[in-house]
Amino acid sequence: QKEVEQNSGPLSVPEGAIASLNCTYSDRGSQSFFWYRQYSGKSPELIMFIYSNGDKEDGRFTAQLNKASQYVSLLIRDSQPSDSATYLCAVNAYSSASKIIFGSGTRLSIRP
Amino acid sequence: EAQVTQNPRYLITVTGKKLTVTCSQNMNHEYMSWYRQDPGLGLRQIYYSMNVEVTDKGDVPEGYKVSRKEKRNFPLILESPSPNQTSLYFCASSLALTGGNTGELFFGEGSRLTVL
């Protein structure tokens, strides 16, 4: 089992709809969770981080964390073509606080 | 401007010819790390460093070396490159991953390496 798992996609969502991206992790003691966005040919950039169970909202983005079920999700409301990118889930594992482990990413495509 | 700088950005080399990819950050970050990115495999950690003179292996360290003699620099060394090291490489830095810091990684622009 991979430590951080994501559906590779592509996930196709119409413009203006909600895009939902999911991620599961295996280390139950993981403390910190991140969502990075990566445009084709570019480096990843942080868009959200979350530490506590529940929802965290920032503009059109909402991160959701459920530690009991070991999943973290990212919702993008009012999806725009500029949201088309690969979204990487990352986890700072409890077992090694010096490692941030990435999932393989979900490719999101927003169709006009 | 706060940034992580990698060089070279693009490199084509041949099997066995030693090369170094440099990484420098100007944010006084303690933590630095190297990742490689391959299609379908995401970002895999090669080596990381918690501070000067402190380095440790990530998930895919074979064939690579690193050093951290200064806080700002973290070069990646391929002593004898092989074709399976053809990849996109990212250097990243962060404040210490503990002590209440967010753990946000700041990435360089990437170095695309091709080993023939």
Side-chain angles (χ1 to χ4, degrees):
Chain A
Q1 181 191 7
K2 287 185 181 178
E3 293 181 87
V4 179
E5 293 209 53
Q6 298 180 251
N7 188 322
S8 62
L11 176 65
S12 181
V13 173
E15 185 174 355
I18 296 175
S20 178
L21 303 161
N22 299 311
C23 171
T24 58
Y25 59 93
S26 60
D27 188 333
R28 184 169 287 279
S30 296
Q31 301 291 305
S32 312
F33 307 86
F34 308 87
W35 284 100
Y36 285 81
R37 178 178 61 201
Q38 186 178 24
Y39 292 114
S40 181
K42 301 294 185 182
S43 55
E45 57 179 336
L46 183 72
I47 53 173
M48 291 286 287
F49 66 88
I50 186 167
Y51 300 146
S52 306
N53 274 330
D55 295 0
K56 180 182 178 182
E57 188 174 319
D58 184 1
R60 296 186 297 111
F61 298 96
T62 299
Q64 299 175 317
L65 175 61
N66 184 323
K67 289 187 177 181
S69 300
Q70 295 174 240
Y71 83 78
V72 57
S73 62
L74 179 70
L75 301 178
I76 306 175
R77 289 183 300 281
D78 187 24
S79 297
Q80 303 297 309
S82 60
D83 295 326
S84 297
T86 296
Y87 289 80
L88 302 168
C89 174
V91 174
N92 187 345
Y94 176 79
S95 59
S96 174
S98 55
K99 293 183 70 171
I100 296 179
I101 301 167
F102 285 81
S104 57
T106 298
R107 191 153 51 94
L108 174 65
S109 176
I110 308 299
R111 58 181 189 270
Chain B
E1 181 189 353
Q3 59 186 4
V4 178
T5 304
Q6 297 178 224
N7 280 296
R9 295 285 315 283
Y10 302 92
L11 180 63
I12 300 174
T13 190
V14 296
T15 298
K17 186 175 181 181
K18 179 179 178 180
L19 67 92
T20 299
V21 186
T22 63
C23 174
S24 180
Q25 51 93 5
N26 62 1
M27 295 169 279
N28 202 36
H29 284 168
E30 290 85 5
Y31 183 87
M32 297 186 75
S33 182
W34 276 103
Y35 292 89
R36 61 177 288 174
Q37 188 172 37
D38 303 288
L41 297 178
L43 284 165
R44 294 181 293 168
Q45 190 175 46
I46 303 171
Y47 270 94
Y48 62 92
S49 171
M50 300 287 279
N51 215 322
V52 176
E53 301 294 358
V54 181
T55 63
D56 209 344
K57 296 177 181 178
D59 295 317
V60 288
E62 294 79 20
Y64 304 95
K65 288 175 58 176
V66 293
S67 67
R68 188 93 182 271
K69 295 185 172 59
E70 305 166 284
K71 197 171 188 179
R72 63 182 294 131
N73 296 323
F74 191 45
L76 179 69
I77 303 158
L78 285 73
E79 293 271 3
S80 182
S82 62
N84 64 12
Q85 293 179 295
T86 293
S87 187
L88 177 60
Y89 291 86
F90 286 104
C91 179
S93 72
S94 177
L95 291 169
L97 299 188
T98 55
N101 295 312
T102 65
E104 175 182 2
L105 285 171
F106 294 82
F107 285 86
E109 292 185 299
S111 296
R112 186 167 292 281
L113 171 64
T114 301
V115 183
L116 302 176

